[in-house]
Amino acid sequence: MKLIILDRDGVINEDSDAFVKSVEEWIPLPGSIEAIARLSKAGWTVAVATNQSGLARGYFSEETLEAMHRRLRELVAEQGGRVDLIRHCPHAPDDGCDCRKPLSGLFRSIAEHYQVSLNGVPTVGDSLRDLQAGVAVGCRPYLVRTGKGAQTEQKALPEGTRVFDNLAAVVTHLLEN
Ligand SMILES: O=P(O)(O)OC[C@@H](O)[C@H]1O[C@@H](OP(=O)(O)O)[C@@H](O)[C@@H](O)[C@@H]1O
Ligand SMILES: [Mg+2]
Ligand SMILES: [Zn+2]
């Protein structure tokens, strides 16, 4: 299967240092919804792996998070595409979970869901921890310059990381190669 694993905040939608705390604050980045739809229509299965410590911090509820993800799914469906699976880490940094990126629990959960290896599966993130979580289970890392990506690009990146301006550019590359 052609599987791709996307980070959410800063890749699909605008990120904020104050967290994305409501559907109103959940604003798609230009071209990202269409990019996800292009992948779907080309036969790709699109999964999302996202840290959502705002839940543990009490900034928003699971119901609000689900409303954001309903909005994402609706917008992609309007473009003829589909977000197939969303896995999130609800924990705080000091909860000691195994699913908060850079740990790979979300990625392993996605692999388990589809009963596939993640070797070579592209993963797209804006933070170093997104790439580290995916690379640890064999994913091919793609960094975008949206969200926190421009700052991340200044750091030491996992070997082989490809850098693109945004998700739309990553998708164009993937669909052309
Ligand atoms: O980029 P993804 O994984 O989809 O989501 C990131 C968000 O959960 C938030 O993660 C927080 O990190 P801490 O959880 O405070 O370390 C901060 O970086 C926020 O700016 C950001 O909105
Ligand atoms: Mg992010
Ligand atoms: Zn967790």
Side-chain angles (χ1 to χ4, degrees), residues 7 9-10 15 126-127 130:
D7 173 53
D9 296 334
D15 196 3
D126 67 315
S127 298
D130 305 328

Side-chain angles (χ1 to χ4, degrees), residues 95-115:
D95 280 348
C97 73
D98 72 353
C99 53
R100 177 178 161 82
K101 297 176 286 184
L103 297 180
S104 303
L106 299 177
F107 288 71
R108 285 197 301 275
S109 170
I110 291 169
E112 176 74 21
H113 176 83
Y114 293 112
Q115 288 293 295

Side-chain angles (χ1 to χ4, degrees), residues 54-127:
L55 289 165
R57 299 172 191 277
Y59 293 162
F60 50 87
S61 66
E62 283 280 358
E63 290 70 26
T64 297
L65 185 70
E66 281 317 305
M68 294 182 208
H69 294 168
R70 226 177 1 264
R71 182 75 181 128
L72 165 59
R73 292 179 190 278
E74 283 166 1
L75 290 172
V76 172
E78 283 171 12
Q79 300 292 329
R82 172 185 167 80
V83 175
D84 196 74
L85 182 66
I86 302 174
R87 286 285 191 266
H88 71 273
C89 164
H91 305 110
D94 54 3
D95 280 348
C97 73
D98 72 353
C99 53
R100 177 178 161 82
K101 297 176 286 184
L103 297 180
S104 303
L106 299 177
F107 288 71
R108 285 197 301 275
S109 170
I110 291 169
E112 176 74 21
H113 176 83
Y114 293 112
Q115 288 293 295
V116 296
S117 159
L118 296 185
N119 277 334
V121 167
T123 190
V124 186
D126 67 315
S127 298

